[in-house]
Amino acid sequence: MKFEEIYQNYWQKVFRLAMGYVNDHDLAKDLTQDVFIIVYQKLSTFNKQSSIGTWIFRIASNTCLRSVEKRQKHQTTELPQNLSASENQFEDNDQIKFLYQCISTLSEIDRLIISLELEEVPQNEIAEIVGLSNGNVRTKIHRIKEKLNKKMSRYEYSRS
């Protein structure tokens, strides 16, 4: 597969994964760009032991985790995010913004698991990416969805 095809097929998925980690549109775009720089640089070393998607998501999750760790070490007072309309669909929907806000409050492993689940990555690949058993991943997905459903129902209730 050529890099251009990989980029076209996975850019949105990697971006949404990054949004789940950082809940910041601009930072998620930067992280996505960083991921694809790494993918481009290391594509010739991809050994096909796993699917290309699994490989890319592993790179993306490692990149996002490093970014979160770095931000926690150098925590500063954050300025409010610009909430004006953007070219991206994620900025246009309050419910989606709230979902990403909820996802960003989860633990790192839960953020990764639910972000991959939302991207419809098969659960056996999620297990391989995060290093857990299939059963453990299935259980975690169920619990994460319950947490998010509770938060989303409170959001819906508060809007009515």
Side-chain angles (χ1 to χ4, degrees):
M1 192 178 253
K2 293 183 181 179
F3 176 77
E4 292 79 16
E5 293 174 42
I6 293 169
Y7 181 84
Q8 291 299 319
N9 290 334
Y10 289 95
W11 188 90
Q12 284 288 335
K13 294 175 182 187
V14 170
F15 175 78
R16 288 188 294 260
L17 177 77
M19 278 295 289
Y21 272 94
V22 297
N23 192 31
D24 177 318
H25 185 268
D26 292 332
L27 183 55
K29 282 174 72 174
D30 290 345
L31 287 170
T32 302
Q33 181 178 354
D34 292 346
V35 167
F36 282 101
I37 289 170
I38 294 167
V39 168
Y40 180 78
Q41 291 172 339
K42 300 200 180 260
L43 188 57
S44 64
T45 65
F46 174 61
N47 59 15
K48 299 179 179 143
Q49 287 182 337
S50 61
S51 75
I52 190 81
T54 300
W55 182 68
I56 290 170
F57 283 126
R58 192 172 289 147
I59 291 170
S61 63
N62 288 337
T63 302
C64 291
L65 284 171
R66 279 194 305 274
S67 172
V68 168
E69 289 169 358
K70 187 190 297 186
R71 284 179 55 192
Q72 287 174 347
K73 284 182 187 175
H74 304 300
Q75 239 177 9
T76 59
T77 304
E78 290 191 28
L79 298 174
Q81 290 183 359
N82 179 2
L83 298 178
S84 65
S86 167
E87 75 279 4
N88 197 296
Q89 66 189 6
F90 302 104
E91 295 290 323
D92 296 336
N93 186 324
D94 288 339
Q95 196 170 20
I96 291 174
K97 283 186 212 176
F98 184 72
L99 175 62
Y100 278 104
Q101 184 180 6
C102 291
I103 290 171
S104 71
T105 65
L106 298 171
S107 70
E108 290 174 10
I109 191 78
D110 288 354
R111 273 184 277 175
L112 175 57
I113 289 170
I114 198 64
S115 295
L116 292 170
E117 174 72 8
L118 289 171
E119 289 305 319
E120 299 177 354
V121 173
Q123 288 183 3
N124 61 332
E125 286 187 37
I126 295 173
E128 185 180 333
I129 291 167
V130 298
L132 298 172
S133 71
N134 287 341
N136 198 345
V137 167
R138 200 170 19 262
T139 301
K140 282 188 162 290
I141 288 171
H142 177 73
R143 290 180 182 157
I144 295 165
K145 284 181 178 179
E146 284 180 342
K147 283 182 197 175
L148 293 175
N149 279 333
K150 285 179 186 175
K151 290 180 180 189
M152 291 303 289
S153 13
R154 279 188 244 142
Y155 172 78
E156 290 300 321
Y157 178 75
S158 70
R159 291 184 48 103
S160 51

